[in-house]
Amino acid sequence: MTEIVLMSDPTIAAIPVAECGERLVDVRRSNSLLVDTREQDPAGAFAYLREGVLGRLIEAQAKLPQGLRLLFVEGYRPPSLQREYFEEYAGRLRAAHLDWSAEQIHSAASRYVSPPDIAPHSAGAAVDLTLADADGNELDLGTRMNADPEESEGACYTHAANISEEARVNRKLLGTALTAAGLVNYPTEWWHWSFGDRYWALATGEAAALYSPKEMGLVQLTSSALPD
């Protein structure tokens, strides 16, 4: 893609999903990635990803320069929580832009939170992550993770010009490793990467997505089969 296609674009929702049935696994059990708990929920849902996505993250980490690690922050997000996030941000935009149409609000909100019906996080296909050194200290990537476009003055966009050279280099290191492992970035959020979802299908030219949204309760999360 040569221009930014937002998650709200009808072409995203039009992409079919051929659910492959791959399981969700707990990234904490792999002992391969640094896991941050800032987005931890009571059920621990944040730490789950589709097995194939986790495998690609481990592959990407191996491609990083010595002394650097991926810092995993959030993976799976229940559809109900995704809807809550989307509606909360849309409400903020609506209050700030009283002259905007419903379509404008929906589109602008999708820069920062995916519409619930196509959200990659709810399929276990997306991950929010950053880079850290060997001691777990976060590197400078230009903004805090989850900084919205208003707060960051657009610096949250992956290829934003208003960031330091150090942050630009770090974003390139992150992107090079993840892209080589088959993940794609949502260009309005430098920290958001995915595989197997509709956005990935659009970016790679695949005919269908591999993962559809999943509902998971506390019992399912705590009793699901986990990798050794």
Side-chain angles (χ1 to χ4, degrees), residues 56-57 60 63 70 127 129 173-184 193:
R56 283 169 174 78
L57 290 182
K63 299 177 185 297
L70 294 178
V127 57
L129 78 175
L173 287 172
L174 180 67
T176 297
L178 291 167
T179 299
L183 287 90
V184 302
W193 292 80

Side-chain angles (χ1 to χ4, degrees), residues 7 74-75 77 82 112 114 119-121 125-130 145-146 156 158 174 178 183-195 197 199:
M7 287 284 186
E74 185 179 18
R77 187 182 297 156
Q82 183 71 30
Y112 181 57
S114 299
H121 279 289
V127 57
D128 292 341
L129 78 175
T130 186
M145 183 177 291
N146 291 328
C156 59
T158 305
L174 180 67
L178 291 167
L183 287 90
V184 302
N185 172 243
Y186 188 41
T188 63
E189 300 176 335
W190 60 260
W191 56 84
H192 178 106
W193 292 80
S194 66
F195 174 86
D197 62 304
Y199 204 84

Side-chain angles (χ1 to χ4, degrees), residues 134-211:
D135 296 320
N137 301 306
E138 288 186 48
L139 274 60
D140 176 15
L141 275 89
T143 73
R144 70 175 184 88
M145 183 177 291
N146 291 328
D148 62 44
E150 292 76 28
E151 169 193 335
S152 68
E153 298 183 336
C156 59
Y157 280 51
T158 305
H159 299 293
N162 56 334
I163 60 173
S164 69
E165 182 59 26
E166 179 183 4
R168 187 170 292 106
V169 168
N170 289 336
R171 287 189 187 186
K172 185 174 182 180
L173 287 172
L174 180 67
T176 297
L178 291 167
T179 299
L183 287 90
V184 302
N185 172 243
Y186 188 41
T188 63
E189 300 176 335
W190 60 260
W191 56 84
H192 178 106
W193 292 80
S194 66
F195 174 86
D197 62 304
R198 286 183 168 109
Y199 204 84
W200 164 85
L202 177 73
T204 60
E206 294 291 333
L210 305 177
Y211 309 132

Side-chain angles (χ1 to χ4, degrees), residues 23-103:
R23 64 181 180 168
L24 283 160
V25 295
D26 189 334
V27 303
R28 295 168 295 188
R29 291 291 296 273
S30 73
N31 293 319
S32 299
L33 304 177
L34 294 174
V35 178
D36 186 281
T37 58
R38 74 187 74 175
E39 297 295 335
Q40 184 169 344
D41 56 285
F46 84 103
Y48 280 70
L49 281 177
R50 295 289 187 137
E51 192 169 26
V53 182
L54 174 56
R56 283 169 174 78
L57 290 182
I58 294 172
E59 178 184 341
Q61 181 161 265
K63 299 177 185 297
L64 290 171
Q66 186 173 1
L68 294 185
R69 301 282 302 278
L70 294 178
L71 179 61
F72 174 98
V73 176
E74 185 179 18
Y76 174 74
R77 187 182 297 156
S80 59
L81 183 58
Q82 183 71 30
R83 184 170 300 281
E84 178 183 327
Y85 285 171
F86 186 83
E87 292 179 351
E88 189 275 335
Y89 183 54
R92 284 163 48 193
L93 292 174
R94 195 175 296 112
H97 303 280
L98 299 178
D99 57 329
W100 283 12
S101 66
E103 183 178 354

